[in-house]
Amino acid sequence: MAAEAGASPAKPDGEQTIAAGSGTGPAGSARLGQRVRVPKMAELVAAQLRRKIVRGELAGGEALPAETTLMEEFSVSRPTLREAFRVLESEALISIRRGARGGARVQVPRGEVAARYAGLVLEHRGTTLQDLYEARHLIEAPCAGLLARCATDDDIARLNEAVRDAERLIDDPPAFIRAHMQFHALVVDLSGNETMRVLNGMVRHIIDQANWSHVDLDAGSPENLVANRKGFRAHVRLVELVSARQPEDAEELWRFHLQEAGKYLLNNKSMTTVLDLLG
């Protein structure tokens, strides 16, 4: 059969390049003669499996059907299917086990994957820690206000439990800073805004490394102990404001707390960019 007009010769695995139309609508917005890449068959298979994972049609930990079953379902060869698997594995949406009892298993999307890539982008751009802390203020402070508006009794109980856990660890700087960071994450998690949770996870992944680097440098010093106790008092006060349903005061308190924490950590002049943290 003759090739369709405007199409270049077919490429392996179904990939080809076609000439775009010149229509004015969304489908024909490309300029006349501009080359449009048609996805490879492996990419189309990966897209269908990805959609099922994201929509929950394939649950986390669930084994994908046998390769022969998927090859028949998608009408593709084994090499094409395995290329699709490699795409999904690179996105951390499946894990591959080799051997007789091996196979592909579903992994649900995780914020840590996005955080690692975001860290690489920020590292490449030479992003400063000051820039990261400003982003943290923009995310966390409003979330404290949201939390004070929408917190349930269970939410407040979880906050109080987190405060009690931190209090028991206040004389153990490494353990306390871990509890301190978990409290900050909890504030955002309980705010009810999923987008903020994802953004915060990306920023916090890098901020946490700054915290650990600083703890390694001056854990147990007089300055460190003072900062820990000041931070703890801010956490206690935030729970009081959330319990009293005072969103404006909660947001103001949390913004001031974040500013003070940022000043303390940024006093370490050896950590000025993300590159210094990620190494």
Side-chain angles (χ1 to χ4, degrees):
M1 181 181 294
E4 181 182 352
S8 64
K11 295 185 179 181
D13 296 319
E15 182 180 7
Q16 59 178 321
T17 303
I18 65 174
S22 57
T24 57
S29 58
R31 296 189 306 275
L32 180 62
Q34 179 180 346
R35 296 294 177 177
V36 178
R37 177 180 174 277
V38 176
K40 296 167 63 176
M41 184 58 70
E43 293 171 344
L44 296 175
V45 172
Q48 290 195 45
L49 291 172
R50 183 188 301 114
R51 190 177 298 111
K52 290 183 178 182
I53 293 171
V54 171
R55 291 180 176 177
E57 297 173 23
L58 294 171
E62 180 180 347
L64 290 181
E67 287 188 356
T68 52
T69 301
L70 291 174
M71 288 162 56
E72 182 177 350
E73 178 181 345
F74 294 114
S75 300
V76 296
S77 65
R78 192 180 301 276
T80 297
L81 180 64
R82 289 185 174 178
E83 184 179 352
F85 281 180
R86 285 193 293 272
V87 171
L88 295 174
E89 189 176 26
S90 72
E91 297 171 349
L93 291 177
I94 65 171
S95 60
I96 306 293
R97 293 182 181 179
R98 273 72 185 182
R101 297 185 179 181
R105 289 193 175 273
V106 174
Q107 296 185 151
V108 296
R110 294 176 295 118
E112 293 87 349
V113 178
R116 284 196 296 271
Y117 188 80
L120 293 175
V121 174
L122 293 172
E123 178 180 348
H124 176 70
R125 296 183 179 184
T127 304
T128 64
L129 285 181
Q130 180 65 45
D131 188 272
L132 277 170
Y133 276 105
E134 288 172 0
R136 184 191 192 191
H137 298 166
L138 294 171
I139 295 171
E140 281 198 37
C143 283
L146 284 173
L147 178 56
R149 288 186 180 91
C150 69
T152 65
D153 290 342
D154 286 343
D155 293 337
I156 294 171
R158 289 181 64 185
L159 291 169
N160 277 311
E161 182 181 5
V163 166
R164 289 193 295 270
D165 289 343
E167 186 174 22
R168 289 193 292 269
L169 301 169
I170 199 164
D171 293 322
D172 182 352
F176 177 80
I177 198 64
R178 182 182 291 108
H180 181 97
M181 292 186 293
Q182 289 172 346
F183 185 89
H184 278 253
L186 184 62
V187 169
V188 178
D189 288 347
L190 296 180
S191 72
N193 189 297
E194 288 298 323
T195 304
M196 287 294 203
R197 289 184 64 186
V198 173
L199 293 174
N200 183 63
M202 291 191 292
V203 172
R204 194 170 63 88
H205 175 77
I206 302 170
I207 294 289
D208 286 357
Q209 293 182 68
N211 285 340
W212 281 115
S213 298
H214 205 69
V215 166
D216 288 341
L217 290 170
D218 69 345
S221 70
E223 181 186 26
N224 172 251
L225 295 177
V226 169
N228 286 351
R229 293 184 182 279
K230 284 179 64 176
F232 177 73
R233 288 195 295 270
H235 291 195
V236 172
R237 180 57 180 156
L238 179 69
V239 177
E240 293 173 352
L241 294 173
V242 169
S243 301
R245 312 294 182 187
Q246 298 181 23
E248 291 81 8
D249 291 342
E251 181 171 342
E252 182 180 356
L253 168 77
W254 210 237
R255 181 171 289 108
F256 179 77
H257 169 55
L258 291 167
Q259 290 170 348
E260 290 297 297
K263 289 177 185 176
Y264 167 67
L265 290 167
L266 290 170
N267 276 337
N268 177 14
K269 303 302 183 183
S270 69
M271 296 186 302
T272 58
T273 70
V274 176
L275 180 63
D276 296 320
L277 291 179
L278 303 182

